[in-house]
Every structure is written in C-alpha cells, then in structure tokens.
Amino acid sequence: MENNLWQHILRVRNTSPLVHNITNYVVMNNTANSLLAIGASPIMAHAQSEVEDMVNISHSLVINIGTLDEYWEDAMLLAAKKANELQKPWVLDPVGAGATPYRDKAISSLLSLNPTVIRGNASEIIAIAKANKTVTKGVDSTAMSSEAVEAAKSLTEIHNSVICISGETDIVISKDQIICLKNGHPMMTKVTGLGCTASAIIGAFLGVTENKTEAVVSAMSLLSIAGELAAEKSTGPGSLQVNIIDKLYNMTQDEFSTHLKLSDHAS
C-alpha cells in the first residue's frame, strides 16, 4: 500500500482538486492554507443560494459542524444531498458530537445521507454511533481511539462509510480493513483545528482517488508525518502550525516512506 499512498499524494499535487468546505469559523484560514499547501484548491462557501452550484463544480465536499447554527445546518443538508445526487464524495466532521441535543440532531440528519467518510475523535465516533455513553469534553477526545473501533464498525455497516478515528493512533476502518497509523506528535494537540484540517485534506484525496480507504490513509499519513517532522524544528504550537503547512508543501517521497508507521489488518 505504501507506494500507492505516495502516488495519491502526487495525484493531488498534479490535479489540484477543488474542495468545497462548509466549515467552522475557527479553522477556515488554516484549512484553506493546508489545502493549498498539498496542491488542492479550497472553496469556503456556506450561502444556501450557492452551495449546490459549488458542489457541482467541486471534486468533493467537506462538512464540518464546529460552529453550527440553523442556517448553516440547512446549507450543509442542501450541499450533501447535491453531492449524493451528483455521486461526488463528501466528508462529515461531527465536531463536538454528544455535547448538545441540537448538535446530535444535526449530525443525525447528515448521517442519514450516508457520508463517504466520517472523521472524528474517539468520543465523537462513539457518540454518533450510540455505542455506549461517553462524555464529550468540548471537542477534545475523552476516549482512546481503540475504544471507538466497535462504534466505527457499526457506522461502516449502517452507512457504508469509511470511518477515521483520530488520536495518538489514527485508525481507518472500512468494511474489510482496519488500518492503524502511528505517526504524529503530541504537540499537535495544542494547535486548534488540526482535526478539521485532516478532514479537509481527506476531502482533497477523495476527489481524485478511486479507493476511498486509501484516500483517507494517504491524507492522514501526510498530515501526521508533516506534524512529526515539523515538531522537530518547532519551539511551540505557534511555530508548529506554520511548519506543518510548510512540510505539507515540501514533503518528499523519502521523508514520507522513511517515517510512515502503518499496520493493516482484516476487519
């Protein structure tokens, strides 16, 4: 799989997929810059009057409910329905799932449209699967990613989605595979919105990669290795944020291959 992952990275760089993001206020700038750094083209648009047209011209759609409100929720549903109609892939990032009844209701509506990929931390994945009762502490995970594997398997079965559980170990689950990635750096948890960035990068890879599981693994590997390498020359979260964007831009095949820590299991 390793060589395939690098080929997917090159494909994103060479084809510059257009990624439509309906995402939260906190992360818009970083998300757009990260997409540009990997070679993709970001669109950030949530006006109900244009989201369907934006989906029409984009390779993929990313829906992030971080700063949710009723207007945005309606825009998200319009966009997701249009993506399904056009058979374009889309990502759901269920930020803060389990925190409030309103948030859970919005997630339920979006889940009913069967996202191509669902990416969240362990608490969020457990919450949306209703696998067991887990307290969501803000948007940070209170559960280890391994604890959410069974919840993710149930989501995969119900929605035919690829599930990505972000954590110290990132776990990507499809119907026949469980792939674990052990890259990254603890300091990445001190930079707001890197999970949201991961979802956006997944969207870019989905737009140009036929194998959706490999698309997710490529995206997560690229960001995690970039974070790992960036941390080596960062003095804190501020410089890390900048250095990650630089490393997303200038990652080499040798750096990627040398640092990739991946294990693949049958689901």
Side-chain angles (χ1 to χ4, degrees), residues 62 64 91-93 119-120 194-204 220:
V62 177
N64 175 308
V91 183
L92 173 62
D93 189 332
R119 191 221 61 85
L194 278 182
C196 305
T197 297
S199 294
I201 292 175
I202 287 171
M220 296 304 295

Side-chain angles (χ1 to χ4, degrees), residues 54-82:
M54 287 298 190
V55 172
N56 187 52
I57 63 172
S58 300
H59 288 82
S60 60
L61 168 69
V62 177
I63 291 178
N64 175 308
I65 69 161
T67 49
L68 188 65
D69 68 20
E70 289 77 6
Y71 181 91
W72 282 44
E73 180 187 1
D74 289 344
M76 291 169 178
L77 291 168
L78 283 171
K81 287 173 183 174
K82 181 55 106 176

